[in-house]
């Protein structure tokens, strides 16, 4: 680790990261970063903006997570942690993490794949990979990721009020199941005109599907009289689609300073449906 102008530079070639399999695992071992089991990153109590080579790829949270899982440590040169981002970044970024990729001088193709599977009450897993191909003037890249998760919650409650013989009893039970599936991809092309001038083009997209269901029932006994049972069902479906295009130009002078110009176009949709039913039942009828 290095300290530079208030920022922390993580050198990924360090022996500390030899056993790490992807960028998320590197971040778990980096100072000041917290990465939970779902892949959510926290830096100094904030959700940091992730930049790749100083560029905002306009990825969704799910795209970022899968992209970082597909990056192997040998593809990363450094990770720069910025608790106080410089003025060149938007003021809305409270903290910034800039991942600087290696400029592999070897021509040809390379790739990697990953996959995980967890089984508890429901199954959770993800899979993906990346592929790069480089010529003397151009570099092509493709990152893909798929994930499937199941979140659920059960709640029970029983309250008894009043004295013996005059008790009021309230009981409730509810169940929530929220599965989520998503697929995303990032494709890019970089064209190096000269050591000082380069252009890059990237397209990111994702498709998601999140059906969820809830069930709740409420029972009550007032002064010894059983009240009608109320049962509620709620079925929801949310689909998501997004597509982003990014074009950039970079100029580097002989002193190592850079000038970057970017143009981005993005579109997203989140159509959804919801069906709610509440019924009162007496004597199981």
């Amino acid at each position: 680790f290095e300290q530079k102008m208030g920022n922390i530079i993580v050198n990924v070639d360090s022996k500390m990261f030899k056993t790490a399999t992807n960028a998320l695992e590197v971040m778990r071992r980096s100072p000041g970063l917290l990465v939970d089991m779902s892949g959510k990153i926290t830096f100094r109590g904030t959700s940091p903006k992730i930049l790749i080579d100083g560029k905002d790829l306009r990825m969704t949270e799910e795209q970022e997570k899968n992209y970082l899982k597909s990056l192997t440590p040998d593809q990363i040169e450094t990770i720069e942690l910025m608790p106080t981002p410089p003025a060149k970044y938007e003021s809305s970024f409270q903290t910034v993490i800039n991942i600087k990729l290696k400029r592999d001088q070897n021509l040809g193709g390379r790739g990697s794949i990953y996959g995980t599977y967890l089984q508890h009450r429901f199954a959770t897993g993800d899979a993906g990979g990346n592929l790069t191909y480089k010529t003397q003037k151009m570099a092509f890249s493709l990152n893909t990721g798929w994930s499937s998760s199941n979140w659920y919650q059960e709640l029970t409650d029983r309250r008894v009020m009043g004295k013996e013989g005059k008790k009021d009893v309230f009981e409730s039970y509810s169940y929530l199941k929220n599965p989520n599936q998503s697929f995303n991809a990032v494709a890019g092309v970089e064209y190096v005109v000269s050591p000082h001038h380069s252009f890059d083009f990237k397209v990111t997209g994702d498709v998601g599907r999140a059906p969820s269901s809830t069930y709740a029932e409420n029972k009550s006994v007032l002064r010894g009289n059983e009240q009608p049972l109320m049962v509620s069902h709620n079925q929801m479906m949310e689909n998501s689609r997004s597509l982003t295009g990014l074009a950039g130009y970079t100029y580097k002078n002989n002193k190592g300073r850079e000038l970057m110009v970017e143009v981005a176009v993005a579109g997203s949709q989140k159509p959804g449906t919801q069906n709610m039913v509440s019924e009162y039942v007496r004597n199981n009828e």
Side-chain angles (χ1 to χ4, degrees):
F1 307 111
E2 298 177 41
Q3 197 87 18
K4 185 178 180 181
M5 299 181 65
N7 299 332
I8 300 173
I9 310 298
V10 180
N11 294 297
V12 183
D13 282 336
S14 167
K15 292 181 181 179
M16 183 176 181
F17 305 112
K18 290 298 183 183
T19 58
T21 58
N22 56 50
L24 274 180
E25 290 192 13
V26 172
M27 291 184 176
R28 278 195 176 97
R29 306 178 193 184
S30 300
L33 292 183
L34 295 176
V35 183
D36 65 17
M37 292 300 294
S38 68
K40 182 177 176 60
I41 302 169
T42 304
F43 181 32
R44 300 285 179 92
T46 68
S47 296
K49 186 63 183 177
I50 307 293
L51 304 179
I52 307 299
D53 288 329
K55 297 183 178 67
D56 179 8
L57 300 188
R58 275 80 175 177
M59 291 187 289
T60 64
E61 184 176 334
E62 193 69 22
Q63 283 178 312
E64 277 185 356
K65 181 182 70 174
N66 290 334
Y67 181 82
L68 294 175
K69 283 185 178 181
S70 72
L71 285 180
T72 57
D74 61 349
Q75 294 177 278
I76 305 170
E77 184 175 328
T78 59
I79 298 178
E80 188 175 7
L81 311 179
M82 306 180 192
T84 307
K88 68 178 180 178
Y89 299 115
E90 297 178 28
S91 59
S92 59
F93 298 166
Q94 291 181 290
T95 55
V96 169
I97 298 176
N98 183 30
I99 300 175
K100 186 176 181 181
L101 302 179
K102 289 180 179 177
R103 289 295 176 258
D104 192 352
Q105 301 302 316
N106 297 321
L107 304 182
R110 60 177 297 174
S112 66
I113 58 174
Y114 71 89
T116 62
Y117 178 83
L118 299 174
Q119 180 65 56
H120 37 92
R121 182 166 182 175
F122 298 104
T124 298
D126 54 30
N130 68 69
L131 180 66
T132 60
Y133 184 81
K134 185 173 182 179
T135 65
Q136 290 183 343
K137 287 286 187 180
M138 302 187 73
F140 304 88
S141 63
L142 175 65
N143 291 72
T144 61
W146 169 86
S147 65
S148 176
S149 61
N150 284 280
W151 182 86
Y152 69 95
Q153 185 178 42
E154 285 184 276
L155 298 172
T156 58
D157 178 51
R158 188 174 191 270
R159 290 175 292 165
V160 180
M161 294 178 288
K163 297 181 180 180
E164 193 69 34
K166 296 183 180 180
K167 288 183 178 180
D168 294 336
V169 181
F170 300 90
E171 295 179 283
S172 65
Y173 167 79
S174 61
Y175 179 84
L176 169 63
K177 182 181 179 183
N178 186 17
N180 191 298
Q181 294 181 342
S182 68
F183 174 81
N184 57 72
V186 180
V189 178
E190 183 178 5
Y191 177 58
V192 179
V193 181
S194 69
H196 299 291
H197 305 276
S198 64
F199 295 90
D200 65 283
F201 306 91
K202 287 186 173 62
V203 177
T204 68
D206 72 333
V207 179
R209 183 175 182 272
S212 62
S213 60
T214 61
Y215 171 84
E217 60 182 33
N218 293 276
K219 300 178 182 179
S220 60
V221 178
L222 303 179
R223 298 293 193 271
N225 297 317
E226 184 176 341
Q227 303 300 307
L229 172 68
M230 191 183 87
V231 179
S232 299
H233 302 269
N234 188 5
Q235 299 287 336
M236 293 172 286
M237 170 63 75
E238 184 178 274
N239 297 308
S240 61
R241 297 183 292 272
S242 69
L243 185 65
T244 302
L246 178 70
Y249 163 75
T250 302
Y251 168 75
K252 296 181 181 179
N253 63 16
N254 293 326
K255 295 182 179 180
R257 294 183 176 179
E258 295 183 352
L259 170 67
M260 292 191 299
V261 179
E262 296 181 359
V263 177
V265 179
S268 63
Q269 294 181 327
K270 275 196 171 183
T273 60
Q274 187 173 25
N275 182 30
M276 302 181 66
V277 178
S278 295
E279 299 176 297
Y280 286 93
V281 180
R282 185 187 293 273
N283 297 327
N284 297 322
E285 294 179 0

